[in-house]
Amino acid sequence: NHCGVLYCTTVEVFGSGVFEIDLHEFKNSKGLLENGNSCRLNCRTFFRVCLKNYQAVVSPGDCIFGNALTPVLGTNSFSAVDGGTFSRPIRLPFNFGWPGSFSLIIEAWYSPSTDLPVDTSNPELLISFFAIQRQLGVGTAWSLDVQSARQTELRYSYRFICNENYYGESCSKICTPRDDRFGHYTCDRDDGQLSCLPGWKGEYCEEPICLVGCSEGNGNCSRPGECVCREGWQGPFCDECKKYPACKHGTCQQPWQCNCKEGWGGLFCDQGKNTSSSSPSRDSPCRNRGLCMNLDVGYRCSCPQGFEGSHCEHSLLTCADSPCFHSGQCHQKDNGHSYICECPPGYTGLNCEKRVDKCTSLPCANGGLCLIHGGVRLCSCRSGFTGQRCEININECAGNPCTNGGTCLDRINDYTCACPPGYAGRNCDRSLDECSMRPCLNGGLCTGGGGPGKPPATCICPAGVTGSRCQFFAVTLPVGGERINGGGQDGFQWAAVSLAVGLVALLVLLCMVGLALRHIHRQTGRDRGDGETMNNLSDVQRDNLIPLYTYSSRKPFQYSSILTALGNRFSTALYLQL
């Protein structure tokens, strides 16, 4: 009974599932009981189910896995159907891990009346007794069985399934889907492994996946698909630096710089340089191939024929003047007073004077560096990405780097192995050594414990120490040679009490010795005055001093003999106390 209580109070944390039994058909064509007698009128039949641990020979006893009692399901031969208070299948819930094997007893009983329960300890009412033992894995598939007795037959099926949120071979692994600040995942239907919701990553799917291409160094996100720039950066991918706010004609490679474009100078790139530009430049403030002329203060644009304005931005030409550069097609409009240029691929602007920056129109993804080589855009990808636009994340798990059954989780230019129990290391290639945890106490020597497939760790204890982890001290009594384990509190307390009694006895004897010596000293002084010896003392007085020893004035007093006798008596008293 004590073991049963302990078992029930400790297994609730280990797993959860249910054993199901479905009764299909029962045959008792002659309407007989187990003892051969006939039922009165018809055999009103109900069943008792008992589930217990695996036994080589199934015997009646405690149904430690569960039991159930059905109502009357029919008379003689019948097929089990749902109805009334009986709902198929019979369910026996588990609050601990499924062991993978079982013993099952199904008893058919006769109910003389309509009232239940009937006394199932009365063998006169038993119709049939069926007992099996089986190995059974967790799953939704039913196992069909047919059992026959002397005059009956029972068809039934059974299975073991996990409760909701429980997984694994013994339904002992729990996984509850969640979508909150502690994680964003579902659970794999087969083994209960975490499966991150779209847009999340990490061990518990708590890390959001930022916008594809978002700079890892310059941007971050708190929700999937975001790319929030850190101070000093901008752009959809946080890869564009912010130049100094007052910078007018400058650029930057790092935040808050102001690197002047060609033709400009000054602290804020708002002044023309002191050298003139003899040819048009892409960074020149003058448009339509105007030449920038630097002045002492500022600059001036020298416009080509057909253009005017402070930056040569206005055209005075018509299509007859061939204003379109780079073979652009000119089209007249507004009755010939203006025109429009149809630019060839790679060029843009009012007069097709600007080359299209392919890196701006079609940037590289995932932080790739865009390069123009021979008029062709090329993307130099960061580690972990590939493709023409660096849009493909390289799967580092493709080579199966995780050993010993480890699960590979792909990351950006990296991977992580989720190792099975007993293994560790980046690739699950290192067996855990139990002895490395130093389980043995008090100088015990640890052996074994090398990992899966090897003997478990064992502690070899030094003399005077015992226990599975050498955690107890052994005490040996001087009388009887009995050994008391250091873990036994009663033995240790009696040894302590005996030692205390011996110490008290020693103190008492020392006090008696002191009194005796003092008395002898005084008596000797008196004897020297009158010449009498201690032989005149009464027998009682001599016995109260030190038995077996006398003192004579003619012989020196032997203190060592007295102390030796007292020591012997003390040893004997202490020995008897212990």
Side-chain angles (χ1 to χ4, degrees), residues 85-213:
T85 59
F86 178 66
S87 178
R88 298 169 58 191
I90 301 171
R91 295 171 57 87
L92 301 177
F94 266 59
N95 289 325
F96 50 91
W98 172 243
S101 60
F102 67 96
S103 295
L104 177 65
I105 299 175
I106 304 177
E107 300 170 347
W109 290 86
Y110 165 53
S111 175
S113 63
T114 58
D115 296 330
L116 287 179
V118 173
D119 183 10
T120 55
S121 63
N122 184 2
E124 299 296 327
L125 301 179
L126 180 64
I127 299 176
S128 295
F129 178 89
F130 307 101
I132 64 169
Q133 67 277 93
R134 297 284 190 274
Q135 299 286 335
L136 179 65
V138 174
T140 57
W142 290 92
S143 298
L144 181 63
D145 201 357
V146 179
Q147 294 292 320
S148 298
R150 185 165 53 186
Q151 72 272 356
T152 59
E153 181 181 278
L154 176 64
R155 299 176 62 86
Y156 64 98
S157 57
Y158 55 88
R159 67 179 180 179
F160 189 90
I161 58 176
C162 297
N163 285 341
E164 184 180 7
N165 299 331
Y166 286 85
Y167 305 88
E169 296 180 354
S170 59
C171 297
S172 58
K173 180 176 183 179
I174 185 170
C175 177
T176 304
R178 66 189 314 157
D179 187 11
D180 53 30
R181 63 191 183 94
F182 297 106
H184 308 268
Y185 56 83
T186 58
C187 302
D188 188 87
R189 185 175 302 175
D190 296 327
D191 57 6
Q193 292 290 339
L194 301 186
S195 179
C196 294
L197 296 174
W200 297 92
K201 63 180 181 178
E203 183 177 2
Y204 295 101
C205 308
E206 74 282 8
E207 303 176 22
I209 299 177
C210 299
L211 179 68
V212 176

Side-chain angles (χ1 to χ4, degrees), residues 517 519-536 551-559:
L517 293 176
H519 182 77
I520 291 171
H521 180 72
R522 290 181 177 178
Q523 188 65 35
T524 302
R526 289 195 298 269
D527 290 344
R528 287 177 180 176
D530 55 14
E532 296 294 328
T533 66
M534 290 184 66
N535 291 331
N536 293 328
Y551 175 78
S552 173
S553 60
R554 293 190 297 270
K555 295 182 180 180
F557 187 76
Q558 301 295 325
Y559 287 97

Side-chain angles (χ1 to χ4, degrees), residues 393-563:
N393 177 24
I394 298 176
N395 184 9
E396 282 76 15
C397 290
N400 298 321
C402 302
T403 60
N404 296 310
T407 302
C408 185
L409 304 176
D410 181 44
R411 300 182 181 275
I412 297 178
N413 195 33
D414 196 7
Y415 65 89
T416 302
C417 291
C419 301
Y423 293 95
R426 175 172 172 78
N427 298 319
C428 304
D429 51 353
R430 178 168 55 86
S431 298
L432 293 179
D433 184 3
E434 297 179 38
C435 286
S436 64
M437 306 302 293
R438 298 182 179 178
C440 304
L441 305 176
N442 300 311
L445 176 63
C446 182
T447 62
K454 297 184 179 180
T458 304
C459 293
I460 301 176
C461 303
V465 181
T466 184
S468 60
R469 297 177 56 242
C470 304
Q471 69 272 37
F472 300 129
F473 288 94
V475 178
T476 303
L477 291 177
V479 178
E482 295 182 357
R483 179 183 177 90
I484 299 179
N485 195 324
Q489 296 296 325
D490 293 340
F492 178 78
Q493 292 175 359
W494 280 111
V497 170
S498 299
L499 181 60
V501 171
L503 292 175
V504 171
L506 176 61
L507 292 176
V508 171
L509 289 175
L510 291 177
C511 291
M512 292 176 61
V513 171
L515 292 175
L517 293 176
R518 182 179 179 183
H519 182 77
I520 291 171
H521 180 72
R522 290 181 177 178
Q523 188 65 35
T524 302
R526 289 195 298 269
D527 290 344
R528 287 177 180 176
D530 55 14
E532 296 294 328
T533 66
M534 290 184 66
N535 291 331
N536 293 328
L537 294 174
S538 67
D539 294 338
V540 176
Q541 288 175 322
R542 288 198 300 270
D543 291 339
N544 286 337
L545 290 178
I546 302 174
L548 304 180
Y549 289 87
T550 60
Y551 175 78
S552 173
S553 60
R554 293 190 297 270
K555 295 182 180 180
F557 187 76
Q558 301 295 325
Y559 287 97
S560 60
S561 300
I562 296 175
L563 293 177

